[in-house]
Amino acid sequence: MKRVAIFISGGGSNMLSLLDAMEDPSFGAQPVLVLANSAKAGGLAKAAARGVPTAAVDHRDYSDRAGFEAEISKVLDAYKPDVICLAGFMRVLTPEFTAQWENRMLNIHPSLLPKYKGLHTHQRALDAGDTEGGCSVHLVTAALDDGPILGQASVPILDGDTASDLAARVLVEEHKLYPAALRKLIGELE
Ligand code: GRF
């Protein structure tokens, strides 16, 4: 059974879809840790309510990324995950950290990569007059939102859509795509 750590910054809706998926014994993985970069992250209570160990490592407590990540690595040493899933995790990780987890760390990004790396993806798609939006799950590499893509899902952009309309439509697909992509990676690890 592979061991999965999930990193969050906020409500953790993607985290919940991953936890739900791993309840199926055939999935082949178990959640061992949910880590947030703030003790206020709403997802921590949701994870704890499901009996998943949690940790908060607040990036503001450290003077640099290396210090922040050293503390994260200490926590990871205690839980020994095989795979890390970034799920609404809003901190950029250093090349050193991503190298340690090469091919074993995933991220979900709310755009059809390689379009719209970075932030405000839905507004950028609307501003560009795109007819579709979507989400991508990719392996995390040193370059932001740039690693090999494991899966994508697209949704139509409708007349009059706001960024939050599009975000809500994409989020529904994220909750299906992420568990499917993780399951595929877990299968390849065995
Ligand atoms: C989602 O749009 C996800 O694509 C992005 O963060 C947003 C919130 O995710 N990475 P969650 O609800 O906290 O899982």
Side-chain angles (χ1 to χ4, degrees):
M1 186 75 92
K2 295 298 178 192
R3 300 168 59 84
V4 175
I6 304 172
F7 288 12
I8 64 171
S9 294
S13 73
N14 275 289
M15 171 206 57
L16 286 175
S17 61
L18 293 171
L19 295 185
D20 288 346
M22 286 187 271
E23 281 175 12
D24 174 350
S26 72
F27 193 96
Q30 61 179 336
V32 297
L33 171 69
V34 170
L35 181 143
N37 65 298
S38 164
K40 294 191 176 68
L44 290 174
K46 296 172 192 170
R50 291 165 175 249
V52 180
T54 62
V57 179
D58 194 323
H59 61 283
R60 292 163 298 191
D61 294 342
Y62 303 89
S63 55
D64 59 16
R65 291 184 194 278
F68 171 55
E69 291 172 357
E71 185 60 27
I72 288 178
S73 295
K74 250 191 247 164
V75 175
L76 292 175
D77 288 349
Y79 289 94
K80 301 195 182 343
D82 300 297
V83 172
I84 296 174
C85 290
L86 307 182
F89 186 66
M90 302 308 277
R91 304 303 299 169
V92 173
L93 296 163
T94 63
E96 292 73 23
F97 190 90
T98 57
Q100 286 168 24
W101 291 92
E102 189 177 9
N103 296 325
R104 297 188 298 148
M105 182 156 61
L106 299 176
N107 181 47
I108 188 156
H109 181 74
S111 79
L112 292 170
L113 291 172
K115 293 179 85 170
Y116 313 128
K117 296 174 184 174
L119 297 174
H120 312 302
T121 60
H122 303 306
Q123 190 58 55
R124 290 157 66 190
L126 292 172
D127 294 347
D130 291 356
T131 55
E132 63 176 8
C135 49
S136 308
V137 174
H138 63 94
L139 288 170
V140 176
T141 56
L144 186 68
D145 300 329
D146 192 63
I149 292 171
L150 295 185
Q152 295 190 296
S154 64
V155 299
I157 290 179
L158 308 175
D159 284 349
D161 267 347
T162 62
S164 54
D165 296 331
L166 182 53
R169 196 172 304 130
V170 171
L171 201 57
V172 171
E173 296 306 317
E174 291 181 31
H175 296 162
K176 293 181 276 187
L177 178 68
Y178 213 165
L182 175 60
R183 189 175 192 137
K184 188 170 144 199
L185 181 77
I186 294 292
E188 287 160 4
L189 286 180
E190 263 143 12

